[in-house]
Amino acid sequence: MEWVWEFETNTFNDDDTITYAYGQWGSMPADLVVITNKGCSDTLQQYVSVYPAPEVVITTEDICLGEIAEFVPIIDLPYGGIESYTWDLGIVWDEPTTVTAEHLYDSTGTYTVSLSVMSNLGCAGFDDVELNVHANASVDFAVESTHYCAGDIMNLFDLSSVESPNTITSWEWYLDEVLLSTAQNPELAYFEAGTYDLRLVATTSNGCSSDSVIQHYLSIFPKPEAGFTLDRDEVEMYGSTVEVTNTASGDITNWSYDFGDGSVENFQSGPHMYDTWSEYTITQIVSNTFGCSDTLSREVVVSPSLIINIPNAFTPEGNGHNDVFKPVLFGSEVLQYEFVIFDRWGKAVFTTNSTDGCWAGTVGMTGVPAQDGVYNWQLKLRSIDEPVLRVMDGFVLLIR
């Protein structure tokens, strides 16, 4: 006896019993042809009700430790409905039987999460996914000091760590809610006085962020502002006293002046006399009750008796005002004198050996007006109190 089965487009020579899985659902034909050993045959056709199986896809996203994992299924079932849901969250836990599931995992690792569903027609569907629970960084930090003056350089040190193979890839430092730096170990200055929380946010290579904060951790003290004026910044030897007037501000408790000649004074304002001519730097140092200090320096020139004044611009317009350019000398007798003016290419356009000689803004002796612009000059001279030849260089702006 021979049995020939036909399902869809498939034919099987088999026994009188067969198992077959249809590739589509609906009312599907099943044909059986029975052939005897004498060649006689008979055919039977019946229809089988084939129901669709649910197609299940679990959607989820990897999480950081401490976050809740959420699992949402997408189910394709063209006929019928879902009667039951059974979740396996990859841990020893009561298996949820809800449409969606969620869980707060208490350790890092990779978990296999699966969902089995059953339709009301008795058809099953299944899917599983892997969920990665990533480690957070253990955030810690240190500072060089917890007390600073406004504007001082602060050194902040990251001491954070994270489980291997994860790495920390970014850092954010905050004073209260103000972002200070994204460097790992920043050096920076902060200028606003106050007491601040210090917070470090560290983010790992898997995008997990965690932070550590210490409240009222850093104190930034106000800084005084140094300031003083001089009655003049150039004096002659026959009148070498400089008058200092304090203009510093900020609850100052201490003042100090270094006059650059070995003398230090602790007054707020006062005079100082120089014994020798030179160029000096006067430095004021002020401090407040917090020990914060500020400095300011100004230059003063104590000249010999010969005083030389040279303007930096003139306007040869023939109106009698600032028409010529020349050094203005007084205070001593000049023994040797040479004054030369050069154009931008280094060519001399004016030369004189007389202290009364002045440049009217022309090219040499031609009387042709020189172009507007910057001209370099060189002055060589000796005086009674300066027997050594003195050479000075500078520039002047010719404006018409």
Side-chain angles (χ1 to χ4, degrees):
M1 189 77 69
E2 181 181 358
W3 292 267
V4 180
W5 297 88
E6 185 173 338
F7 305 94
E8 299 177 297
T9 59
N10 302 307
T11 301
F12 304 92
N13 292 324
D14 212 330
D15 294 333
D16 59 351
T17 302
I18 190 171
T19 300
Y20 179 76
Y22 283 91
Q24 55 185 326
W25 64 277
S27 182
M28 305 300 296
D31 297 324
L32 172 61
V33 179
V34 181
I35 305 171
T36 69
N37 53 5
K38 299 295 185 178
C40 300
S41 65
D42 191 17
T43 300
L44 175 67
Q45 184 180 66
Q46 291 186 351
Y47 282 84
V48 179
S49 293
V50 179
Y51 301 121
E55 294 183 4
V56 182
V57 176
I58 301 173
T59 62
T60 189
E61 293 182 354
D62 290 346
I63 61 171
C64 303
L65 188 64
E67 296 177 343
I68 295 177
E70 298 180 346
F71 308 99
V72 178
I74 299 175
I75 300 176
D76 184 12
L77 181 61
Y79 182 72
I82 301 299
E83 190 171 73
S84 67
Y85 301 82
T86 303
W87 290 90
D88 182 349
L89 301 183
I91 56 174
V92 179
W93 197 262
D94 292 338
E95 296 179 347
T97 56
T98 53
V99 177
T100 61
E102 62 180 30
H103 186 69
L104 178 63
Y105 290 85
D106 59 7
S107 60
T108 60
T110 300
Y111 298 85
T112 300
V113 177
S114 65
L115 171 62
S116 299
V117 300
M118 184 68 68
S119 75
N120 58 354
L121 298 174
C123 297
F126 177 84
D127 188 35
D128 63 6
V129 294
E130 285 192 347
L131 170 74
N132 293 304
V133 180
H134 300 299
N136 293 308
S138 176
V139 182
D140 193 14
F141 57 81
V143 297
E144 194 171 41
S145 173
T146 57
H147 297 82
Y148 292 92
C149 297
D152 286 354
I153 297 298
M154 298 187 295
N155 291 284
L156 310 180
F157 304 99
D158 168 49
L159 304 177
S160 305
S161 60
V162 67
E163 294 177 8
S164 179
N166 302 285
T167 58
I168 299 176
T169 56
S170 68
W171 300 261
E172 293 178 354
W173 295 88
Y174 292 88
L175 271 190
D176 287 353
E177 296 304 317
V178 177
L179 177 63
L180 287 180
S181 176
T182 56
Q184 181 179 6
N185 300 298
E187 292 185 4
L188 47 87
Y190 199 71
F191 294 89
E192 296 295 328
T195 299
Y196 299 95
D197 302 340
L198 181 61
R199 180 164 70 102
L200 172 60
V201 179
T203 302
T204 70
S205 51
N206 286 308
C208 296
S209 295
S210 52
D211 71 344
S212 178
V213 59
I214 301 179
Q215 295 183 336
H216 311 301
Y217 188 53
L218 285 181
S219 295
I220 310 297
F221 298 125
K223 187 175 182 178
E225 183 177 356
F228 68 95
T229 60
L230 303 175
D231 61 337
R232 47 188 175 166
D233 57 10
E234 184 173 350
V235 296
E236 297 91 8
M237 282 304 301
Y238 53 79
S240 60
T241 298
V242 176
E243 187 73 30
V244 176
T245 302
N246 171 62
T247 60
S249 59
D251 296 326
I252 297 169
T253 57
N254 294 289
W255 291 260
S256 177
Y257 292 91
D258 184 339
F259 287 94
D261 60 352
S263 299
V264 176
E265 300 287 352
N266 293 318
F267 50 59
Q268 292 188 36
S269 302
H272 178 72
M273 178 178 290
Y274 288 95
D275 294 330
T276 58
W277 65 272
S278 183
E279 295 182 1
Y280 298 96
T281 299
I282 302 176
T283 301
Q284 180 195 59
I285 305 173
V286 294
S287 59
N288 59 16
T289 55
F290 300 105
C292 298
S293 62
D294 191 26
T295 63
L296 178 67
S297 296
R298 296 190 182 280
E299 304 297 322
V300 62
V301 177
V302 180
S303 301
S305 297
L306 178 64
I307 303 301
I308 305 172
N309 290 323
I310 303 178
N312 58 14
F314 75 111
T315 55
E317 297 174 344
N319 58 11
H321 300 286
N322 201 25
D323 283 334
V324 295
F325 170 63
K326 60 171 289 187
V328 178
L329 311 177
F330 60 92
S332 181
E333 181 182 352
V334 176
L335 303 176
Q336 180 181 343
Y337 181 88
E338 181 184 64
F339 186 57
V340 184
I341 298 174
F342 304 91
D343 63 19
R344 69 182 66 183
W345 295 279
K347 180 180 179 181
V349 296
F350 176 77
T351 302
T352 183
N353 297 109
S354 170
T355 57
D356 295 325
C358 57
W359 185 39
T362 59
V363 179
M365 303 298 295
T366 65
V368 177
Q371 293 182 350
D372 288 13
V374 176
Y375 291 81
N376 296 316
W377 55 258
Q378 186 179 72
L379 174 64
K380 298 179 180 179
L381 54 75
R382 290 189 302 113
S383 63
I384 293 176
D385 47 53
E386 285 190 65
V388 178
L389 184 67
R390 182 175 180 181
V391 180
M392 301 172 62
D393 298 281
F395 65 88
V396 64
L397 179 62
L398 188 156
I399 305 173
R400 294 189 185 275

